[in-house]
Each structure stands twice: as structure tokens, then as C-alpha cells.
Amino acid sequence: MNVTIEYGIVGIPEHHIKITHQLPPQYAAYRCDFADAVLVSSPSVDIIYHTTTADGCSLSNNIFIVKEPVQLLPKVKEGVSMVCCMIEGSINLTYVDLTTIPLLQGQYNCFHIIGQQQPTLFSPGIYEVQYYGFSRDMIAAYTSHSKLAKKWLYKVDMGMPILLTPTPGIIWDGLHHLNHELKFSVINTSLRKTWLLGKLQELLILILEQQDTNTVSSSQDVTFNTIKTFIRNNVDKELTIAQLASTYFVSASKLRQS
């Protein structure tokens, strides 16, 4: 499979896992335009991958339709430097040193990932993650202008897995629109690959700018600012207090009050 990250399904025998390039009608709404779909189906979870690459960089959209509690094991064949945007659903990632990293709906984080990670528990529901992978050369181009890029490149060259943004970033409206634009763009020619590289470069610059000027806030402030920004970015969706409280791991009364 041509994907940035592959997910092993813990406890499911291989003969119960099927891989196909055809999406069934019930999953048609999850189709992206930038690449052909790969569907990995199992009794516990179905995973839909869309991935495309350009000059050592990549764009990958992953959908998880979780039918029962399941542990997924992220792994990569080579070291990958990426921005991970949580489009739908919230999860608690278990990182290499066994620390737990919340990644809430409407947030992003920057990682350098090597090899196999710790299993992450997914509860029943639908999750969508959009990943952006960056080449060493693209990150290196900004080391003289960005503190994060300099740190990022050092960790890449040292071969060290790391979470680069201990405080998650919030998917602001500009990043929200860029996620949507890339998801529904057709990338099937050399010219479109060049266009994709330009968009990935734009996205990386925006992330570096925001992170270099970011001041550390309390986790509660970040959570409620994430919720407010998510609501603004999704005014076309029917959102309820109960749904938001469940997604963001807060009580409905606290959410109402805030």
C-alpha cells in the first residue's frame, strides 16, 4: 500500500483483514479526489487510505470507521516528518516513551516518526486524519528563519522520533480551508504534482509561523479555543452540546458554562 503511515490492527488475525481498491457504496461519501482509495476492512475497523506523493513529500487522508473498541498500531517503513491534522474525532495517542498525547478534533501536531509506534485505542466512531509529509530538503530550506524548522531538522538528522509541538496547534480557518482544498483537488499530472508541492510548502510555512510565535497556554484554554474555532469552521454542520462534550472529553455542563 502506498501510504505514509500503515496501521496494524492489534488482535485481528491476518486472514480476517481484507485489502481492496474498491469503496463500497456506503463509503462513497469518504472518497477523496486527489488519489485512488485503498480500503482495509476487518471485523473491528475499516480504514480508508488516500495517499499521493511528490518529490519526497506526501499528502494522505485516513478515515477510520471503528465498529468496536480496537487498538491500532501505527508504523512507517522510513522516518517520516509530518503535520497531523485531526479533522474528525478525538484520540489519545500513546507515544514511543509511553506518554499520552491528546489529539482533539480541530487540532494538529508535528511529528518525526520512525518505525513502529505504541498501539492507540480507538473507541467506536468515525475518525478522519489528514497527514502532510515533508522531505528533509523542504524543512532544511527554513532552518535559518524558523526555530521549529531548525529543531525539526536536527531531530531528523539524528534519527530521533519526536513530538515537535508539545502544545497542539489549532486548525485555524486558513488551515481548515487548505485541508479541504487539498482533499478535493485532482492530482494526476506532473503539473498538478508541482502544484501540490507548492501547496505543501505554503502549509509548512504557515505551521512554522504559527508555532514560532505560539505562547504556551493551559490545556483547558487550548481545548476551549479549539472547540470555538471548530464551530466557526463548521457552521454548516449540526453540532450539539452532547456531541461536542463527548468528542472533547469534557462535561456538557462545563462546555455550556464556557
Side-chain angles (χ1 to χ4, degrees):
M1 290 183 298
N2 181 25
V3 295
T4 305
I5 301 181
E6 294 182 5
Y7 290 88
I9 306 171
V10 178
I12 301 296
E14 284 193 16
H15 65 274
H16 286 160
I17 300 173
K18 297 180 180 178
I19 300 174
T20 178
H21 293 268
Q22 296 290 331
L23 286 186
Q26 69 266 28
Y27 289 162
Y30 302 125
R31 185 179 301 280
C32 300
D33 293 334
F34 66 85
D36 293 332
V38 175
L39 171 64
V40 178
S41 58
S42 77
S44 299
V45 58
D46 292 344
I47 307 173
I48 302 170
Y49 295 105
H50 293 81
T51 300
T52 190
T53 59
D55 198 20
C57 299
S58 61
L59 161 63
S60 183
N61 181 280
N62 300 169
I63 302 279
F64 307 89
I65 299 100
V66 182
K67 294 168 272 189
E68 59 186 49
V70 65
Q71 283 188 312
L72 298 180
L73 186 65
K75 52 188 176 180
V76 294
K77 294 178 181 176
E78 302 175 356
V80 176
S81 297
M82 63 173 55
V83 171
C84 170
C85 295
M86 200 73 200
I87 308 298
E88 183 174 352
S90 297
I91 57 176
N92 286 309
L93 295 172
T94 306
Y95 202 50
V96 286
D97 60 358
L98 298 182
T99 55
T100 299
I101 304 162
L103 188 56
L104 304 180
Q105 179 174 265
Q107 292 182 347
Y108 72 85
N109 259 321
C110 304
F111 298 90
H112 183 64
I113 297 178
I114 297 172
Q116 187 168 287
Q117 306 299 295
Q118 294 295 323
T120 293
L121 177 64
F122 282 70
S123 300
I126 296 173
Y127 304 82
E128 179 180 359
V129 189
Q130 196 143 302
Y131 297 106
Y132 301 97
F134 301 100
S135 66
R136 183 195 181 279
D137 288 346
M138 186 175 283
I139 295 170
Y142 301 106
T143 53
S144 59
H145 308 290
S146 164
K147 294 178 292 183
L148 177 61
K150 187 174 182 179
K151 176 183 177 183
W152 202 334
L153 186 67
Y154 173 76
K155 298 299 183 181
V156 170
D157 287 344
M158 293 295 290
M160 299 171 62
I162 189 172
L163 167 67
L164 290 146
T165 43
T167 302
I170 297 172
I171 299 176
W172 71 98
D173 56 347
L175 182 54
H176 171 76
H177 291 303
L178 196 50
N179 281 332
H180 190 271
E181 180 183 10
L182 287 166
K183 180 178 178 179
F184 294 107
S185 294
V186 177
I187 302 171
N188 57 357
T189 66
S190 297
L191 282 175
R192 295 301 291 175
K193 294 274 187 177
T194 302
W195 174 88
L196 172 62
L197 272 176
K199 285 294 180 181
L200 292 176
Q201 188 174 39
E202 176 187 347
L203 187 145
L204 179 59
I205 290 171
L206 291 174
I207 295 291
L208 294 176
E209 284 181 339
Q210 190 184 70
Q211 286 298 317
D212 284 343
T213 58
N214 191 29
T215 55
V216 177
S217 304
S218 72
S219 59
Q220 180 172 306
D221 288 342
V222 172
T223 297
F224 284 107
N225 285 334
T226 299
I227 296 171
K228 287 189 288 186
T229 305
F230 180 82
I231 292 170
R232 283 201 305 270
N233 286 336
N234 293 274
V235 292
D236 57 324
K237 295 181 180 177
E238 290 187 16
L239 303 173
T240 66
I241 291 287
Q243 176 191 359
L244 291 170
S246 174
T247 298
Y248 290 98
F249 311 127
V250 298
S251 69
S253 59
K254 192 171 186 179
L255 184 56
R256 258 190 220 95
Q257 184 181 0
S258 299

